[in-house]
Amino acid sequence: MLWSASDMKGCGIDATDGSIGTIGDLLFNDQNWTVRWFVVETGLVFTGRKVLLPPSAILSSDSIGRLLSVNVTKQQVKDSPEIDVDAPVSRQQESSVYDHYGWHPYWGPHTYFAPGARAPVVPAPTPEYEEEQAADVRGEGDPHLRSANEVTGYYVNATDGDIGHVEDLVVDTDAWAIRYIAVDTVNWWPGKKVLISPASLTDVIWATQTVDINLTRDQIRNAPEYLPGESIDRAYETRYHDYYGYPYYWK
């Protein structure tokens, strides 16, 4: 199922024993565009605390009722580590959340395994992992963990000129991956909105709040039309991927 990040914002979050708040933001990896965390705003439930929960905690999602159910209790959430989610989140802070719930983290190498079990084979560290570890030692946030709220509004540059700004992210809730970036082209192509695949990105420059893509304006202008508010079905996705020559992610 495809669900826009803007529609997710404000969705209710139910623990196994009651409501714990609403979604305030999504944090994603800017290398593979995978959702890593939900920022849950607890409101009056826990005096306004913001907490992190990974997609792996989700039991079910309902886009019509705008509700996610997660496999944690209210007490577990209340006792979860204090993290300032308005500042860059470090790998150490992410580890503290996984440790609290007793879950395996998404990254590697790691040494998480059940007591009495044989330790898993630890893979060789990747350059990305070493970069993240170095940033953590320096007290910096994970350099590849980004906020959906933050990237909204970034300007998008084609190879021959700007085309508009990021308006939304379209998330595949089966894989919790960002499949498309919705771009408002009001300053270039009035009244139109287009979808850009993360596969077309050549650079995301956080310092200047810009996104560079390897497509021309004409390629984008002639792509299958995107109508916000209408569901993106498999037929549309097939036309979109065929037009750009992208492989089907669903096969």
Side-chain angles (χ1 to χ4, degrees):
M1 179 177 68
L2 296 178
W3 197 353
S4 72
S6 62
D7 284 344
M8 282 188 197
K9 190 172 180 179
C11 285
I13 302 284
D14 275 357
T16 56
D17 54 354
S19 173
I20 57 174
T22 60
I23 294 177
D25 197 2
L26 305 179
L27 303 183
F28 64 95
N29 182 286
D30 68 6
Q31 292 185 307
N32 56 24
W33 290 75
T34 299
V35 176
R36 294 305 189 193
W37 298 99
F38 296 100
V39 177
V40 182
E41 298 181 345
T42 62
L44 298 177
V45 181
F46 301 127
T47 63
R49 282 187 64 201
K50 293 181 181 180
V51 299
L52 296 178
L53 284 175
S56 57
I58 295 173
L59 294 172
S60 63
S61 59
D62 178 7
S63 61
I64 304 299
R66 304 188 73 241
L67 181 69
L68 296 179
S69 299
V70 293
N71 63 346
V72 299
T73 66
K74 293 175 69 174
Q75 191 64 46
Q76 283 179 302
V77 174
K78 184 177 181 180
D79 295 338
S80 63
E82 291 276 1
I83 294 176
D84 182 6
V85 296
D86 294 322
V89 177
S90 70
R91 180 53 55 83
Q92 184 176 4
Q93 291 171 318
E94 292 182 281
S95 294
S96 70
V97 176
Y98 278 104
D99 286 344
H100 170 72
Y101 290 105
W103 297 329
H104 294 303
Y106 61 81
W107 60 83
H110 58 75
T111 56
Y112 292 76
F113 53 95
R118 180 177 296 179
V121 175
V122 178
T126 64
E128 292 78 12
Y129 177 79
E130 292 178 340
E131 178 186 359
E132 292 161 3
Q133 291 295 297
D136 207 33
V137 169
R138 294 192 299 268
E140 301 170 358
D142 183 338
H144 299 297
L145 196 62
R146 304 295 177 178
S147 155
N149 289 345
E150 172 196 355
V151 75
T152 301
Y154 278 23
Y155 284 94
V156 183
N157 298 317
T159 57
D160 54 353
D162 67 273
I163 62 168
H165 63 269
V166 175
E167 183 173 70
D168 209 345
L169 304 176
V170 180
V171 181
D172 173 1
T173 59
D174 292 324
W176 289 107
I178 296 171
R179 299 299 185 190
Y180 306 103
I181 301 165
V183 179
D184 188 338
T185 66
V186 63
N187 294 327
W188 161 60
W189 191 16
K192 299 294 183 179
K193 292 180 173 63
V194 297
L195 292 181
I196 300 297
S197 168
S200 69
L201 270 62
T202 57
D203 201 3
V204 180
I205 308 172
W206 307 106
T208 58
Q209 300 186 346
T210 55
V211 176
D212 293 339
I213 59 176
N214 60 4
L215 304 173
T216 67
R217 284 179 156 196
D218 278 346
Q219 282 180 293
I220 295 165
R221 193 195 307 272
N222 296 321
E225 184 177 7
Y226 167 59
L227 299 175
E230 293 190 4
S231 62
I232 302 173
D233 59 20
R234 189 66 82 213
Y236 173 88
E237 289 192 280
T238 299
R239 292 196 306 274
Y240 180 93
H241 282 69
D242 286 348
Y243 174 79
Y244 283 113
Y246 297 144
Y248 303 148
Y249 68 81
W250 56 89
K251 289 187 177 182

